[in-house]
Amino acid sequence: MTDSSSAGNEAGTEYEPGQDNVQILGLDVHNPVFAVSALTIIAFVFFSLVFQDQASEFFGWLRPALTSQFDWVFMIACNIFVLFSLFLVVSPYGSIRLGGDTAKPDYSYAGWFSMLFAAGMGIGLVFWGVAEPISHYGSSVGGTALGDAGLRSDWAPLGAAAGDPEAAREMAMAATIFHWGLHPWAIYAVVALALAFFSFNKGLPLTMRSVFYPIFGKATWGPLGHIIDVLAVFATIFGLATSLGLGATQALAGLNYLFDVPVSDGMKVLLIIVITIFALISVVAGLDKGVKRLSEANMILAAALLVLVIVVGPTLAILTGFFTNLVDYVAYLPELSNWVGREDTNFMQGWTTFYWAWWISWSPFVGMFIARISRGRTIREFIICVLVIPTVVGALWMTVFGGAALDMVMGEQGQALKDAALELKMFKMFENFPLTGVLSFIGIILVVVFFVTSSDSGSLVIDTITAGGKTDAPTAQRVFWCVLEGAIAIVLLLGGGLGALQAAAIATGFPFAIVLVLMCLSIFIGLMREHRSRKSR
């Protein structure tokens, strides 16, 4: 991978990647971003372990406090990202090539898609592919309910679909695809495009602060830039910890289901440690040898599981349902995106707002990773491939797994599936298919490999931020961040379970939502200047 400094600095600044770095004990770290990030996170880990009861109580308060007070911030911001991304596709700026007019792509389409999709939302799709459609269907068909204060106490999306199973199914699938479609991928696209453009086209360091040079000028390299990069590290590491916690919970549930491995906090900790070791091996191997190969293996496994479920499941219903679900998604999209006058506050705050915060907290990690592998693509090609294609693939995944699960729930064989814990729902669905053991085993392996790719990709990205934009920093730094990610996932699980993980993701996603809105403005200014410069040549 080419270091961003090789592109030549065209942004009007003499700042070079890593120029403020400190070399100590064989490390090459940015001062003070590395120190502030590392020490703050280590202190968080220590106090969360020592004061577990207080930590659990705090996390239990934090998530509903943020989602109820600032749901409108997340809803407006994510709508902006979708509209801005679609604007770039049809604008003259779409012809600008990342890396310059003569740049060639570093990876084939197959390798590129595998890495961006595996990094983007792999673990989440496996965890929620069955669980989320069932949850939305049950709450929708159950209808609305009012609590003591006259507010709705149900969790159904929009106006629900009381007593109408088919309408509830349509709403459940549309709401699920909404949470995994254009909005999250637009968040990733904005961050990735900003980083790729300002690094590859303008020669600025591959860090979050560089994106804001058109707005803040030289102040970008001072304390303001330090704050932006530290926020990016916090958002990345806590967003990753949420996914790692979900992955460990589901993998352990699958191991218990297949091999009677006991489900306990100790086993979850052991599983996170073992998988972190695998992630370390991949991190040491590097981007091309480690992450790329694992990502491609991931996609092969995911495709195999997808095809098997289509073949052994209700094949015709799945294939026809895919197009129906896409139509329903588009039809419900305006209502689900609206934040004004919504009565379904539990759904909007508990589901949508959490998801938007989670995606935003992942955006520095996924965005920088996508940026590093997207050199040579035009902006139009980039947006279409990062926004539209993953949305369609995600809709297919949710249709196959969620659609098959809903067929069972709406039939006579779905009671066990409805009653199962979230992390067990996929395995319970497989009980109704031939090759149950094979499907379940592939599912566990897929979760584990997604777990590893998320951890090693995240370590590479955090290391780049804390090394001042250098992509060839010492391996020991990546190892440090990989170990710390595993430690945070363990601490949050012990200090409050999945609720603590989700609260941490929301807490770091909230300030970064504001950062991303400013990022859109900065991209627009940068592209406008680039387009004007190209016309004058």
Side-chain angles (χ1 to χ4, degrees):
M1 179 65 61
T2 305
D3 195 287
S4 58
S5 61
S6 65
N9 197 317
E10 299 178 9
T13 174
E14 299 299 321
Y15 196 89
E16 295 293 336
Q19 77 171 43
D20 291 332
N21 284 15
V22 175
Q23 287 76 36
I24 183 172
L25 300 175
L27 304 179
D28 186 357
V29 296
H30 188 276
N31 182 38
V33 174
F34 180 91
V36 172
S37 302
L39 292 175
T40 304
I41 292 169
I42 290 171
F44 169 84
V45 170
F46 173 77
F47 285 109
S48 296
L49 279 175
V50 173
F51 303 103
Q52 285 192 26
D53 292 340
Q54 292 88 338
S56 180
E57 182 179 344
F58 172 73
F59 291 131
W61 164 83
L62 182 61
R63 174 181 168 170
L66 284 173
T67 55
S68 62
Q69 295 298 317
F70 299 104
D71 51 354
W72 59 276
V73 173
F74 290 106
M75 297 293 286
I76 292 174
C78 290
N79 288 337
I80 289 173
F81 305 146
V82 173
L83 294 174
F84 180 67
S85 298
L86 295 175
F87 160 75
L88 291 180
V89 172
V90 299
S91 74
Y93 308 134
S95 62
I96 296 173
R97 188 172 297 276
L98 299 175
D101 294 338
T102 60
K104 301 294 182 186
D106 292 327
Y107 300 98
S108 66
Y109 275 116
W112 188 40
F113 285 143
S114 297
M115 286 191 283
L116 74 87
F117 200 79
M121 49 184 60
I123 288 178
L125 281 174
V126 178
F127 189 94
W128 292 109
V130 174
E132 185 171 350
I134 292 175
S135 298
H136 295 328
Y137 173 80
S139 58
S140 295
V141 79
T144 59
L146 297 179
D148 296 336
L151 301 174
R152 276 178 56 176
S153 58
D154 63 275
W155 285 76
L158 303 176
D164 188 342
E166 279 305 319
R169 180 193 180 109
E170 292 175 2
M171 188 172 291
M173 291 306 303
T176 300
I177 295 171
F178 172 64
H179 290 148
W180 298 83
L182 292 174
H183 283 75
W185 284 102
I187 296 169
Y188 295 160
V190 164
V191 179
L193 175 62
L195 288 165
F197 175 74
F198 286 106
S199 177
F200 299 146
N201 292 68
K202 297 301 178 184
L204 296 177
L206 191 62
T207 61
M208 281 294 162
R209 68 174 69 205
S210 298
V211 172
F212 297 94
Y213 187 79
I215 297 177
F216 301 124
K218 291 184 179 180
T220 304
W221 316 123
L224 183 61
H226 300 335
I227 292 171
I228 291 170
D229 278 350
V230 168
L231 275 176
V233 172
F234 289 163
T236 301
I237 206 156
F238 287 111
L240 271 171
T242 302
S243 294
L244 300 185
L246 289 174
T249 301
Q250 188 177 33
L252 186 57
L255 290 170
N256 172 262
Y257 175 78
L258 281 181
F259 307 113
D260 292 323
V261 174
V263 176
S264 65
D265 285 343
M267 286 305 301
K268 289 177 183 176
V269 170
L270 180 60
L271 186 61
I272 291 174
I273 291 172
V274 169
I275 297 178
T276 299
I277 291 171
F278 283 111
L280 282 171
I281 296 171
S282 179
V283 160
V284 172
L287 181 62
D288 291 333
K289 293 180 180 178
V291 179
K292 180 173 178 285
R293 290 175 182 173
L294 268 178
S295 298
E296 290 172 344
N298 249 346
M299 296 311 294
I300 293 170
L301 274 174
L305 188 62
L306 195 74
V307 170
L308 277 173
V309 174
I310 292 173
V311 171
V312 302
T315 307
L316 184 60
I318 288 172
L319 295 177
T320 56
F322 171 63
F323 298 101
T324 303
N325 292 338
L326 280 177
V327 170
D328 291 335
Y329 165 54
V330 173
Y332 280 108
L333 186 59
E335 288 182 89
L336 291 168
S337 302
N338 175 47
W339 68 95
V340 179
R342 292 278 289 268
E343 296 181 357
D344 55 337
T345 51
N346 280 342
F347 171 81
M348 186 176 75
Q349 295 172 0
W351 280 99
T352 304
T353 304
F354 161 65
Y355 268 129
W356 289 181
W358 188 15
W359 302 140
I360 288 170
S361 70
W362 261 54
S363 65
F365 145 53
V366 180
M368 185 172 293
F369 185 76
I370 293 174
R372 286 186 64 177
I373 62 176
S374 298
R375 186 186 182 95
R377 310 288 178 183
T378 67
I379 288 177
R380 185 170 293 111
E381 175 189 18
F382 175 88
I383 295 291
I384 291 172
C385 291
V386 174
L387 182 65
V388 179
I389 292 177
T391 295
V392 173
V393 173
L396 176 62
W397 183 278
M398 290 301 183
T399 295
V400 171
F401 285 82
L406 287 178
D407 273 353
M408 296 172 193
V409 169
M410 295 171 72
E412 299 178 355
Q413 54 189 153
Q415 192 58 47
L417 185 54
K418 285 192 288 187
D419 294 341
L422 287 175
E423 61 269 18
L424 263 178
K425 287 189 184 296
M426 181 177 72
F427 302 107
K428 284 293 182 182
M429 182 185 77
F430 290 158
E431 283 184 358
N432 297 282
F433 296 152
L435 305 174
T436 299
V438 173
L439 290 170
S440 298
F441 186 70
I442 293 175
I444 293 171
I445 297 299
L446 189 61
V447 170
V448 169
V449 180
F450 270 134
F451 196 144
V452 173
T453 53
S454 296
S455 182
D456 59 13
S457 305
S459 301
L460 289 170
V461 167
I462 294 173
D463 181 45
T464 301
I465 297 173
T466 55
K470 297 183 73 171
T471 57
D472 57 353
T475 303
Q477 295 170 209
R478 301 198 296 271
V479 169
F480 169 79
W481 289 112
C482 189
V483 171
L484 199 55
E485 285 164 27
I488 288 174
I490 290 170
V491 165
L492 289 174
L493 274 175
L494 295 177
L498 293 181
L501 292 165
Q502 293 168 345
I506 291 173
T508 53
F510 172 67
F512 220 74
I514 310 301
V515 172
L516 262 61
V517 172
L518 278 176
M519 191 177 290
C520 291
L521 174 61
S522 191
I523 296 171
F524 180 75
I525 294 171
L527 292 178
M528 183 173 61
R529 291 174 180 171
E530 176 78 0
H531 183 65
R532 194 178 299 153
S533 173
R534 292 174 75 200
K535 288 179 67 176
S536 64
R537 289 173 193 163

Short mmCIF file of all heavy atoms in Angstrom, two decimals, residues 33-34 37-39 41 233 237 455 458-460 462-464 466 476-486:
data_model
loop_
_atom_site.label_atom_id
_atom_site.label_comp_id
_atom_site.label_asym_id
_atom_site.label_seq_id
_atom_site.Cartn_x
_atom_site.Cartn_y
_atom_site.Cartn_z
N VAL A 33 -1.69 12.31 20.41
CA VAL A 33 -2.88 11.49 20.14
C VAL A 33 -2.74 10.09 20.72
O VAL A 33 -3.66 9.58 21.38
CB VAL A 33 -3.16 11.41 18.62
CG1 VAL A 33 -4.29 10.43 18.32
CG2 VAL A 33 -3.50 12.79 18.08
N PHE A 34 -1.58 9.46 20.49
CA PHE A 34 -1.40 8.09 20.99
C PHE A 34 -1.51 8.06 22.52
O PHE A 34 -2.22 7.24 23.10
CB PHE A 34 -0.04 7.54 20.55
CG PHE A 34 0.24 6.14 21.02
CD1 PHE A 34 -0.11 5.05 20.25
CD2 PHE A 34 0.84 5.92 22.26
CE1 PHE A 34 0.14 3.75 20.69
CE2 PHE A 34 1.09 4.63 22.71
CZ PHE A 34 0.74 3.54 21.92
N SER A 37 -5.13 8.89 23.89
CA SER A 37 -6.06 7.81 23.57
C SER A 37 -5.77 6.57 24.42
O SER A 37 -6.68 6.01 25.06
CB SER A 37 -5.96 7.43 22.09
OG SER A 37 -6.22 8.53 21.26
N ALA A 38 -4.52 6.15 24.42
CA ALA A 38 -4.15 4.92 25.12
C ALA A 38 -4.39 5.03 26.62
O ALA A 38 -4.99 4.13 27.24
CB ALA A 38 -2.70 4.57 24.83
N LEU A 39 -3.92 6.12 27.23
CA LEU A 39 -4.05 6.26 28.68
C LEU A 39 -5.51 6.38 29.11
O LEU A 39 -5.92 5.80 30.13
CB LEU A 39 -3.26 7.48 29.16
CG LEU A 39 -1.73 7.36 29.05
CD1 LEU A 39 -1.06 8.66 29.44
CD2 LEU A 39 -1.23 6.21 29.92
N ILE A 41 -8.17 5.16 27.55
CA ILE A 41 -8.84 3.86 27.38
C ILE A 41 -8.39 2.87 28.45
O ILE A 41 -9.20 2.12 29.00
CB ILE A 41 -8.58 3.31 25.96
CG1 ILE A 41 -9.31 4.20 24.93
CG2 ILE A 41 -9.06 1.87 25.84
CD1 ILE A 41 -8.91 3.93 23.50
N VAL A 233 -10.44 7.67 17.51
CA VAL A 233 -9.94 6.47 18.17
C VAL A 233 -10.98 5.92 19.15
O VAL A 233 -11.27 4.72 19.17
CB VAL A 233 -8.61 6.76 18.91
CG1 VAL A 233 -8.19 5.55 19.75
CG2 VAL A 233 -7.51 7.10 17.92
N ILE A 237 -12.77 2.24 18.68
CA ILE A 237 -12.49 1.13 19.58
C ILE A 237 -13.74 0.69 20.34
O ILE A 237 -13.94 -0.51 20.58
CB ILE A 237 -11.34 1.48 20.55
CG1 ILE A 237 -10.63 0.19 21.00
CG2 ILE A 237 -11.79 2.32 21.72
CD1 ILE A 237 -9.20 0.39 21.45
N SER A 455 -11.44 -7.22 14.09
CA SER A 455 -10.42 -6.85 15.06
C SER A 455 -9.11 -6.45 14.38
O SER A 455 -8.51 -5.42 14.71
CB SER A 455 -10.16 -8.01 16.02
OG SER A 455 -9.21 -7.66 16.99
N GLY A 458 -9.54 -3.16 12.40
CA GLY A 458 -9.63 -2.04 13.33
C GLY A 458 -8.28 -1.67 13.91
O GLY A 458 -7.97 -0.49 14.09
N SER A 459 -7.47 -2.68 14.21
CA SER A 459 -6.14 -2.41 14.76
C SER A 459 -5.27 -1.65 13.77
O SER A 459 -4.55 -0.72 14.14
CB SER A 459 -5.46 -3.74 15.13
OG SER A 459 -6.22 -4.45 16.06
N LEU A 460 -5.35 -2.03 12.50
CA LEU A 460 -4.59 -1.33 11.46
C LEU A 460 -5.00 0.14 11.37
O LEU A 460 -4.17 1.04 11.23
CB LEU A 460 -4.79 -2.01 10.11
CG LEU A 460 -4.14 -3.39 9.91
CD1 LEU A 460 -4.63 -4.02 8.62
CD2 LEU A 460 -2.63 -3.27 9.90
N ILE A 462 -6.71 2.09 13.71
CA ILE A 462 -6.38 2.87 14.91
C ILE A 462 -4.89 3.18 14.95
O ILE A 462 -4.47 4.29 15.32
CB ILE A 462 -6.82 2.11 16.19
CG1 ILE A 462 -8.34 1.97 16.24
CG2 ILE A 462 -6.33 2.84 17.44
CD1 ILE A 462 -8.83 1.11 17.37
N ASP A 463 -4.09 2.22 14.54
CA ASP A 463 -2.65 2.45 14.52
C ASP A 463 -2.28 3.56 13.54
O ASP A 463 -1.41 4.39 13.82
CB ASP A 463 -1.92 1.16 14.15
CG ASP A 463 -0.41 1.33 14.14
OD1 ASP A 463 0.11 1.94 15.10
OD2 ASP A 463 0.24 0.89 13.18
N THR A 464 -2.95 3.60 12.39
CA THR A 464 -2.68 4.66 11.41
C THR A 464 -3.01 6.04 12.00
O THR A 464 -2.25 7.00 11.84
CB THR A 464 -3.50 4.44 10.13
OG1 THR A 464 -3.16 3.16 9.57
CG2 THR A 464 -3.22 5.52 9.09
N THR A 466 -3.15 6.91 15.21
CA THR A 466 -2.27 7.26 16.33
C THR A 466 -0.79 7.29 15.92
O THR A 466 0.08 7.55 16.75
CB THR A 466 -2.45 6.26 17.50
OG1 THR A 466 -2.23 4.94 17.03
CG2 THR A 466 -3.85 6.38 18.08
N ALA A 476 4.50 -3.60 16.48
CA ALA A 476 4.17 -3.65 17.91
C ALA A 476 3.00 -2.73 18.25
O ALA A 476 2.21 -3.02 19.16
CB ALA A 476 5.39 -3.26 18.74
N GLN A 477 2.86 -1.62 17.52
CA GLN A 477 1.76 -0.70 17.79
C GLN A 477 0.41 -1.32 17.42
O GLN A 477 -0.57 -1.17 18.14
CB GLN A 477 1.97 0.61 17.02
CG GLN A 477 3.20 1.36 17.50
CD GLN A 477 3.58 2.52 16.61
OE1 GLN A 477 4.75 2.89 16.53
NE2 GLN A 477 2.63 3.13 15.93
N ARG A 478 0.37 -2.02 16.29
CA ARG A 478 -0.87 -2.69 15.90
C ARG A 478 -1.23 -3.79 16.89
O ARG A 478 -2.40 -4.00 17.20
CB ARG A 478 -0.73 -3.27 14.48
CG ARG A 478 -0.42 -2.24 13.42
CD ARG A 478 -0.71 -2.73 12.03
NE ARG A 478 0.10 -3.86 11.62
CZ ARG A 478 1.28 -3.74 11.03
NH1 ARG A 478 1.78 -2.54 10.79
NH2 ARG A 478 1.96 -4.82 10.66
N VAL A 479 -0.21 -4.47 17.38
CA VAL A 479 -0.43 -5.52 18.38
C VAL A 479 -1.03 -4.92 19.65
O VAL A 479 -1.98 -5.47 20.23
CB VAL A 479 0.91 -6.24 18.71
CG1 VAL A 479 0.75 -7.15 19.92
CG2 VAL A 479 1.38 -7.03 17.51
N PHE A 480 -0.51 -3.76 20.06
CA PHE A 480 -1.03 -3.09 21.26
C PHE A 480 -2.52 -2.79 21.13
O PHE A 480 -3.31 -3.09 22.04
CB PHE A 480 -0.25 -1.79 21.50
CG PHE A 480 -0.85 -0.89 22.54
CD1 PHE A 480 -0.66 -1.13 23.88
CD2 PHE A 480 -1.63 0.22 22.16
CE1 PHE A 480 -1.23 -0.30 24.85
CE2 PHE A 480 -2.19 1.06 23.12
CZ PHE A 480 -1.98 0.79 24.46
N TRP A 481 -2.92 -2.22 19.99
CA TRP A 481 -4.33 -1.85 19.81
C TRP A 481 -5.22 -3.08 19.68
O TRP A 481 -6.36 -3.09 20.16
CB TRP A 481 -4.49 -0.94 18.60
CG TRP A 481 -3.92 0.43 18.84
CD1 TRP A 481 -2.83 0.99 18.25
CD2 TRP A 481 -4.40 1.40 19.78
NE1 TRP A 481 -2.59 2.24 18.75
CE2 TRP A 481 -3.55 2.53 19.68
CE3 TRP A 481 -5.46 1.43 20.68
CZ2 TRP A 481 -3.73 3.67 20.46
CZ3 TRP A 481 -5.65 2.58 21.46
CH2 TRP A 481 -4.79 3.67 21.34
N CYS A 482 -4.72 -4.14 19.06
CA CYS A 482 -5.50 -5.37 18.94
C CYS A 482 -5.79 -5.96 20.32
O CYS A 482 -6.91 -6.38 20.60
CB CYS A 482 -4.72 -6.38 18.07
SG CYS A 482 -5.67 -7.84 17.61
N VAL A 483 -4.77 -5.98 21.17
CA VAL A 483 -4.95 -6.50 22.53
C VAL A 483 -5.93 -5.62 23.31
O VAL A 483 -6.80 -6.11 24.04
CB VAL A 483 -3.59 -6.57 23.26
CG1 VAL A 483 -3.78 -6.89 24.74
CG2 VAL A 483 -2.70 -7.63 22.62
N LEU A 484 -5.81 -4.30 23.14
CA LEU A 484 -6.68 -3.38 23.88
C LEU A 484 -8.14 -3.52 23.44
O LEU A 484 -9.05 -3.41 24.27
CB LEU A 484 -6.20 -1.94 23.67
CG LEU A 484 -6.67 -0.90 24.70
CD1 LEU A 484 -6.31 -1.33 26.11
CD2 LEU A 484 -6.06 0.46 24.39
N GLU A 485 -8.39 -3.75 22.15
CA GLU A 485 -9.76 -3.98 21.67
C GLU A 485 -10.39 -5.18 22.38
O GLU A 485 -11.54 -5.12 22.84
CB GLU A 485 -9.77 -4.25 20.16
CG GLU A 485 -9.55 -3.02 19.31
CD GLU A 485 -9.17 -3.41 17.89
OE1 GLU A 485 -9.57 -4.51 17.45
OE2 GLU A 485 -8.47 -2.63 17.23
N GLY A 486 -9.63 -6.27 22.45
CA GLY A 486 -10.15 -7.45 23.14
C GLY A 486 -10.42 -7.18 24.61
O GLY A 486 -11.43 -7.62 25.16
#
